[in-house]
Structure formats: C-alpha cells, structure tokens
Amino acid sequence: MRTPALALVVGILIAGLLPTSLQADVYLVTANVPVQISPPVQPSETLQVFIKAKGGEWQTPDYTVRDGRVIISPDPKKLGGSEMILVINPPADLNLNDSNPPIILGIKIDGVAHRASAALDLGKLVDAPGVILWGVADRENALDLNTLRVTLNDRQLAPDALALDVVGKRQVGVIADMGDIDYGRHEVTLRIADVIPGANRLEARIGFELVDTGNLIQLVRDRVIVKTDSCFSSYPNLEPLIDGFKMLDGSGAGNDVTWASAEMAGPHWIEITLPEPRPMKEVTVYWAYSGQTFHTSQRVEVQVPDNGGWRTVATSGDQPLQPQRNHTLRFDEVTTDRFRVYQPDKGGPAARPDLMWVAEVEAR
Ligand SMILES: [Ca+2]
Ligand SMILES: [Ca+2]
C-alpha cells in the first residue's frame, strides 16, 4: 500500500525569537512536496530573498511580488530537505554563509587560566570551582545572548548567578558563580548560539569530580557508634551507614548497602558518636538508590547535643531537597563527639514521606 504524499506547510514568523538587532523576516517552512508560500513584505526596491534546507546551502529563489506579498515556490527536493528556512531582507552585516558555532576563546576558573576547550575535564578536585569565566566569540556573526544558558548537571543556573561582560556584538565574557557544589561528579555546560537563522550552537562542557577528603567517620570507623530511632522490619543492620560504600548502581538498596527507618509518622534520625570530640563543619548524606530512583528525603537537619537535648546547626532549606545521590549540609564549625541527621515528621522522600532511607553518612 502506498501512503499518499502529504503536503504539510508550516510558516512561522520567528522574528520575535531573534535578537532585536536582527531585523529580518525569518520563516520556517516544512514541506515534503513543492509548495507556494506568500509572506507579506514591505514595498522595497532592494528586496532580498534567501532560502535553504537544513544543512544545505543558501539559494536565491525566483519570486514575484504581488499585493504586498512575495510569492515563492520552494521545492524541498531541489533544496535538499523538507525543513527550510526563508529569510527576507537580512541586515547588511549578517553573514549568511556561516556554518560555524561560536568558539571558546578562554576559560578562567577562580582567576586561573585553563585550556580554551569546549570539552575540558578538570579531573579530581579538592576545592569546587567558585567562579567560572568563559570568553566566547563568533567569527562570522553576532552572538545571540538570548540563547545563553549555563547548567550544572542539567539544572539551569539562577539568572542572578550569571553576569555578562559584553566586549562587542561578537564577543562576550560569561561569568558564572557556581554556588555550593556537592561531592561527586559534576558537569557544567555553557550553551550559546550565533544570530544566523537556523543558528549554529556552541555547547561547551567542563567536567570535574569533587572528592571527599577527611571524612571523620571513616578514619575511626570501628570505634564509631551508630544509633537510629527505628529500623524498617527487614533493615536491622546499621553498618551500611558508615561502611564507606556509597556509589550504589540503582538496581537495588537492601540492608547490605542501606539502612531504612520504620515507615511511620513522626521524626526519624541517625545518631553518630565518635570516639572523641572533633571540629566539624559539614555532614553529607548519601541516599538510597533503588529502581533508578534516589530516595532523597525532602527535609533533614544536622543536630548536635545541647544541654541534654539537641540543637539544630544546619537545615536543608525552605525548598524540598531534589532527588540526587547526596547532599551536604554545611554549618559554622562546632567541636563535638556526637551529632545526628534528623528528619522531621513527613520529611522523607516525596513518594514515602514517613520513611528515611540512607546509604552513608559522612562528617568533616
Ligand atoms: Ca558563526
Ligand atoms: Ca554505605
């Protein structure tokens, strides 16, 4: 059976998506058979019309002008593709023969210059990057600053964490304040395009692993005492909380690699006692990872003993924690031999708020 050819024509004015500096009319045309389109044009003696298929070369099509419209009949076969871009009266400084994405001119991390590369791996780091500066340029056209995105592990940085140093239309410095970064592997990605219709896009990545040094618990592991408020019925073993194994593969999280609280209303907690008091300023919790899901609690606190009770020195914040492998809570340094990770009532994972399910606890 033969499927009849479908003529699908979509003309979308995307001028609003382009930088205001690019004052051309741009249409995206999708058609798999020859079609006639007739976008409106301003009366002009210098009408310029360009069209190309995605990945093809720009061509100047035959056209006629009638009743304030330019009539064109693009043939997807001749242009080499069914997704076409039509540009009418591009600005004089637009270089349509631009198939190169923007480039990285330089990278500075906390003031130190690194190799200018779209794929930079910093390896293992003891200190997380604080401020990253990219020098970015496009050789052929202006940069489209509307397309600029900086992400950390696919989460976009807040607008107030980004600053721009605009050198010119084609060159900009992008400055990102990375904020708190947790232990483990991370990737920072900068994305930006040039202004040409059908944009050439740069995707520049910086990878690194923030390594854990000086976990106070591992150093004295066989003399550490662990207590919890309760245990899930088949999870009586507390040893997984301090055994140093935390890189679960997501396939399962039994009591050999995690501990879980009883699943009941009320707070849950993990109390750790060291052999002697030590200065401490952060606690990291690695969450159970099972069914390819991190069972991250929504809210936790770090507490230290105070007058026979407990004093909270750090909380996970106003927003529920998002599922990920681990979270570090940082606080003003205290010297203590005892602390606990405390989950308030209903503070467990969003799907199971009465549960606390943890793979490892570290303190530094
Ligand atoms: Ca370019
Ligand atoms: Ca463990």
Side-chain angles (χ1 to χ4, degrees):
M1 192 175 114
R2 291 182 55 181
T3 310
L6 277 181
L8 174 65
V9 183
V10 186
I12 311 164
L13 185 67
I14 59 165
L17 301 175
L18 296 170
T20 46
S21 58
L22 183 58
Q23 297 289 350
D25 285 350
V26 179
Y27 296 85
L28 305 179
V29 182
T30 303
N32 54 12
V33 293
V35 289
Q36 188 183 78
I37 52 176
S38 52
V41 285
Q42 296 296 320
S44 162
E45 287 179 6
T46 60
L47 186 64
Q48 288 185 297
V49 181
F50 299 91
I51 191 163
K52 74 164 188 173
K54 223 179 203 176
E57 299 284 314
W58 289 101
Q59 300 184 17
T60 48
D62 294 334
Y63 62 84
T64 53
V65 179
R66 198 165 57 224
D67 302 333
R69 292 182 173 273
V70 56
I71 298 160
I72 307 161
S73 301
D75 182 342
K77 280 218 174 62
K78 284 184 187 157
L79 287 164
S82 59
E83 285 179 54
M84 294 163 279
I85 303 171
L86 173 69
V87 180
I88 300 171
N89 283 343
D93 63 354
L94 182 72
N95 179 354
L96 280 177
N97 293 311
D98 174 4
S99 54
N100 303 314
I103 54 168
I104 297 287
L105 294 176
I107 297 174
K108 270 191 181 179
I109 300 176
D110 296 320
V112 177
H114 289 261
R115 187 167 51 90
S117 166
L120 181 65
D121 194 339
L122 303 171
K124 291 182 192 297
L125 301 180
V126 173
D127 295 313
V131 175
I132 301 180
L133 161 66
W134 293 266
V136 182
D138 195 77
R139 291 204 178 101
E140 302 85 7
N141 280 301
L143 293 163
D144 183 355
L145 297 182
N146 294 323
T147 63
L148 175 66
R149 299 282 183 279
V150 178
T151 55
L152 173 64
N153 308 328
D154 298 330
R155 275 184 208 155
Q156 202 170 320
L157 256 56
D160 62 359
L162 279 186
L164 292 184
D165 177 12
V166 178
V167 180
K169 273 185 174 178
R170 297 184 185 182
Q171 187 177 337
V172 68
V174 179
I175 302 147
D177 182 341
M178 300 311 298
D180 269 356
I181 290 182
D182 218 306
Y183 294 97
R185 179 83 203 163
H186 300 281
E187 192 164 80
V188 183
T189 306
L190 175 149
R191 294 179 176 85
I192 194 167
D194 53 22
V195 295
I196 189 171
N200 301 298
R201 297 174 191 283
L202 166 69
E203 200 169 283
R205 298 169 183 280
I206 300 175
F208 61 91
E209 183 184 356
L210 184 60
V211 294
D212 162 39
T213 57
N215 174 13
L216 298 168
I217 296 171
Q218 279 302 298
L219 300 172
V220 291
R221 184 169 123 194
D222 47 7
R223 290 188 290 145
V224 168
I225 299 163
V226 183
K227 284 191 211 167
T228 60
D229 70 288
S230 63
C231 291
F232 201 80
S233 59
S234 52
Y235 285 67
N237 181 16
L238 305 184
E239 181 65 19
L241 289 169
I242 58 161
D243 65 358
F245 180 73
K246 54 201 181 187
M247 301 308 283
L248 278 62
D249 65 7
S251 61
N255 194 206
D256 53 337
V257 289
T258 62
W259 159 86
S261 72
E263 194 161 13
M264 60 182 186
H268 297 298
W269 45 260
I270 301 163
E271 181 185 325
I272 307 267
T273 305
L274 302 171
E276 58 256 344
R278 298 294 302 268
M280 194 182 294
K281 56 187 180 186
E282 59 181 50
V283 167
T284 302
V285 182
Y286 285 79
W287 308 105
Y289 184 30
S290 176
Q292 303 304 317
T293 300
F294 289 109
H295 296 271
T296 300
S297 295
Q298 299 173 85
R299 286 187 302 282
V300 281
E301 302 176 10
V302 175
Q303 298 182 328
V304 296
D306 188 45
N307 279 326
W310 294 91
R311 175 168 61 95
T312 296
V313 292
T315 68
S316 55
D318 299 334
Q319 298 301 317
L321 292 177
Q322 294 302 306
Q324 63 187 47
R325 186 178 294 277
N326 50 293
H327 283 97
T328 297
L329 277 71
R330 299 187 167 98
F331 43 92
D332 290 340
E333 187 173 285
V334 293
T335 297
T336 183
D337 65 346
R338 214 148 51 96
F339 69 93
R340 67 179 186 176
V341 180
Y342 178 85
Q343 175 178 301
D345 184 30
K346 305 285 177 210
R352 299 174 74 174
D354 290 327
L355 185 70
M356 186 181 193
W357 197 1
V358 172
E360 187 81 12
V361 176
E362 298 175 337
R364 280 163 227 95

